[in-house]
Amino acid sequence: MNTDIVWSNLLNELKDELSSLAYNTWFNDTKLYKLDNGIAYIIVPMPIHKRHLNDFYGEIITTKLNKLTNSNYELKFYLQEEIEEEEKPSIIDNNSNNDIDKEISYKENYNINNNLIKKYTFENFIVGNTNKFASTAALSVAENPGNMYNPFFLYGNSGLGKTHLMHAIGNYIVEHSNKKVLYITSEQFKDDFTKVYKKDDNGTNFNYIEFFKNKYRNIDVLLIDDIQFLGGATKTQEEFFHTFNNLYNNNKQIIISSDRSPNDLKLLEDRLKTRFTEGLSVNIYPPDFTLKKEILKNKIKAGDFEGDIPEDVIEYIANNIGPDVRSLEGAVTRLLAYSAMWGSKTINLDLAIDALPDYISKGMGEKNDIQRIQRIVAEYFQISVEDIRSKKRNANISNPRQIAMYLCRCMTEESFPRIGIEFGGKDHSTVMHSVEKIEKEIKANKDLANQIEKLKKDISTV
């Protein structure tokens, strides 16, 4: 039985039944590895796909697969790295305790002021290696609020897309359910709580207390942005702690964002930080060079510029502006305005250099250390950077890739997950395996040790 044909037929059926967003997120990069002894081995791109596909699409996959093959199969999900390295797969427990209603109710939404910005959706969130996990996890939460990753904690530097993803989650839930959704900032929560102590004309505040509790506890989904600004507000933190517990204990979804991880929120009470770490915490990393270019192209397209923007202009901006999305968008806005001011229908590199001196002076000057190491290693072994980032497994590419990963680990302060992202979205375990492998070979292979030293000198002098 040809597994590629079976899986292709199954995916074609799913494509007709699911939204393009759901299909592209959960099924686009999957593959049926083999059918053996009543088990269907399915390769998925990220660990989050294992649980989600099993819990929320397992029944429909099993039904269609059994119909196509005239057999009965149990589903097992694996990462590509687990297959390649012949490790014992981490098998997902198919006996889920979640009793999720598969039918989505499209009742009229509650008429409340949810504060959501409609333009922020999953469809217009530009996805790349540095934010793919965050985007996928966010959609998982949006599809199953209260049942998947609660609380969901997004963190990262300003301007990387946290707020966009929060609004995307809220907008998706409002569109696909009748749940009450509320988006606020921590400053808004603080202001609302302060009003609890203000008395009305009758010398009481009972009405406002009732309003406050109704606003924050009679909801299904709470999205609170910039939680770090609750730091130092002791009474507000206490009230938020009680609000959090009330929602959490009633299986209401809580989504939180911050500019730092839960454990780094030094001014927040320990009991709050403990609550935040009970769910899933996801870091959004700064965009890499490839994602920057996609963001720029999308911004230019949205700006309705009549002419074409040359690739060298886009690369110039991507290479010198960053690392946040707002700076990229600001540079495009400035460039288009500068072009319009001078009546130019053609944007070239000279015009971009003239238009963006203030932005470039704040830019990075170069892509990043990982990409610089990739370029130098690629040049040394006479292969392309795209090869190093690819999934190609032939020795003339995989060996330089492992050397590059090793050099990134020992010559930068980047983490294993971050290095993996820059190498085409590799899992952190793959990076660890490569680093350990090169460390061992250096001790036994003098030629390799000399190569590594030569590359280190080249990297240090660039």
Side-chain angles (χ1 to χ4, degrees), residues 275-307:
R275 291 291 189 275
F276 296 162
T277 57
E278 288 175 352
L280 177 66
S281 298
V282 177
N283 190 0
I284 299 185
Y285 295 98
D288 58 18
F289 184 64
T290 301
L291 180 55
K292 280 186 179 183
K293 292 202 299 181
E294 290 304 312
I295 293 170
L296 289 167
K297 290 176 182 178
N298 186 69
K299 179 66 176 178
I300 292 167
K301 183 179 179 181
D304 294 326
F305 181 71
E306 295 180 358

Side-chain angles (χ1 to χ4, degrees), residues 309-348:
I309 308 293
E311 188 72 15
D312 62 344
V313 172
I314 293 173
E315 291 189 354
Y316 172 74
I317 299 174
N319 193 32
N320 290 283
I321 305 290
D324 63 281
V325 176
R326 292 194 188 108
S327 295
L328 294 171
E329 293 182 340
V332 171
T333 300
R334 163 74 178 177
L335 179 61
L336 296 181
Y338 192 86
S339 172
M341 181 179 68
W342 290 101
S344 175
K345 292 186 178 180
T346 300
I347 292 180
N348 55 31

Side-chain angles (χ1 to χ4, degrees), residues 22-148:
Y23 177 84
N24 290 334
T25 300
W26 301 114
F27 291 95
N28 205 35
D29 295 323
T30 60
K31 179 182 178 181
L32 180 59
Y33 179 60
K34 66 179 178 179
L35 299 170
D36 185 40
N37 289 330
I39 298 177
Y41 297 83
I42 300 169
I43 296 177
V44 296
M46 291 190 291
I48 190 174
H49 285 71
K50 290 181 175 183
R51 177 179 173 184
H52 193 90
L53 287 175
N54 183 76
D55 288 352
F56 301 104
Y57 293 100
E59 183 177 343
I60 189 173
I61 295 173
T62 301
T63 300
K64 291 185 178 299
L65 182 62
N66 291 345
K67 183 178 179 180
L68 288 169
T69 59
N70 293 318
S71 302
N72 292 313
Y73 286 102
E74 177 186 358
L75 306 180
K76 301 293 182 183
F77 299 96
Y78 299 89
L79 299 176
Q80 181 68 40
E81 288 79 5
E82 292 172 333
I83 298 295
E84 290 179 354
E85 298 174 17
E86 297 182 355
E87 296 176 347
K88 184 177 180 180
S90 177
I91 301 175
I92 295 297
D93 181 7
N94 285 297
N95 298 319
S96 171
N97 292 323
N98 292 329
D99 185 16
I100 309 286
D101 183 6
K102 303 299 181 182
E103 297 296 326
I104 297 176
S105 174
Y106 292 93
K107 298 177 183 179
E108 183 178 356
N109 292 316
Y110 286 93
N111 185 25
I112 64 171
N113 183 12
N114 54 38
N115 300 324
L116 293 172
I117 300 175
K118 300 300 182 183
K119 69 177 182 178
Y120 291 140
T121 66
F122 286 110
E123 284 78 8
N124 59 27
F125 184 79
I126 309 301
V127 179
N129 288 330
T130 58
N131 62 14
K132 186 175 183 180
F133 179 67
S135 175
T136 302
L139 179 59
S140 176
V141 170
E143 289 184 330
N144 306 282
N147 297 301
M148 179 71 79

Side-chain angles (χ1 to χ4, degrees), residues 111-321:
N111 185 25
I112 64 171
N113 183 12
N114 54 38
N115 300 324
L116 293 172
I117 300 175
K118 300 300 182 183
K119 69 177 182 178
Y120 291 140
T121 66
F122 286 110
E123 284 78 8
N124 59 27
F125 184 79
I126 309 301
V127 179
N129 288 330
T130 58
N131 62 14
K132 186 175 183 180
F133 179 67
S135 175
T136 302
L139 179 59
S140 176
V141 170
E143 289 184 330
N144 306 282
N147 297 301
M148 179 71 79
Y149 308 128
N150 196 22
F152 180 53
F153 194 102
L154 275 169
Y155 68 97
N157 293 335
S158 176
L160 299 183
K162 300 187 300 296
T163 299
H164 187 140
L165 278 180
M166 293 185 79
H167 284 282
I169 293 172
N171 285 322
Y172 186 97
I173 293 172
V174 168
E175 182 180 353
H176 292 84
S177 74
N178 61 354
K179 294 183 180 297
K180 290 184 180 180
V181 177
L182 176 64
Y183 167 87
I184 57 157
T185 66
S186 61
E187 290 292 341
Q188 289 172 308
F189 183 86
K190 192 187 302 183
D191 290 343
D192 282 346
F193 179 65
T194 301
K195 293 175 185 176
V196 169
Y197 293 95
K198 294 182 179 180
K199 295 181 180 181
D200 57 26
D201 294 337
N202 297 320
T204 67
N205 63 350
F206 295 141
N207 289 336
Y208 191 80
I209 291 174
E210 188 64 27
F211 166 79
F212 181 87
K213 289 184 177 180
N214 182 65
K215 178 177 180 179
Y216 286 103
R217 300 190 184 186
N218 189 27
I219 55 176
D220 300 299
V221 181
L222 174 64
L223 304 105
I224 181 164
D225 213 346
D226 292 325
I227 197 69
Q228 70 271 11
F229 292 125
L230 285 188
T234 305
K235 290 184 177 180
T236 307
Q237 287 188 46
E238 182 177 357
E239 176 55 37
F240 183 73
F241 176 78
H242 294 307
T243 298
F244 182 103
N245 283 345
N246 179 274
L247 294 173
Y248 183 83
N249 292 335
N250 286 286
N251 294 321
K252 308 302 185 181
Q253 180 67 53
I254 304 166
I255 299 113
I256 304 166
S257 85
S258 173
D259 63 354
R260 65 206 75 172
S261 70
N263 291 328
D264 290 329
L265 293 168
K266 305 301 183 185
L267 296 180
L268 289 191
E269 297 178 3
D270 288 340
R271 60 179 179 173
L272 271 178
K273 291 188 285 186
T274 299
R275 291 291 189 275
F276 296 162
T277 57
E278 288 175 352
L280 177 66
S281 298
V282 177
N283 190 0
I284 299 185
Y285 295 98
D288 58 18
F289 184 64
T290 301
L291 180 55
K292 280 186 179 183
K293 292 202 299 181
E294 290 304 312
I295 293 170
L296 289 167
K297 290 176 182 178
N298 186 69
K299 179 66 176 178
I300 292 167
K301 183 179 179 181
D304 294 326
F305 181 71
E306 295 180 358
D308 293 327
I309 308 293
E311 188 72 15
D312 62 344
V313 172
I314 293 173
E315 291 189 354
Y316 172 74
I317 299 174
N319 193 32
N320 290 283
I321 305 290

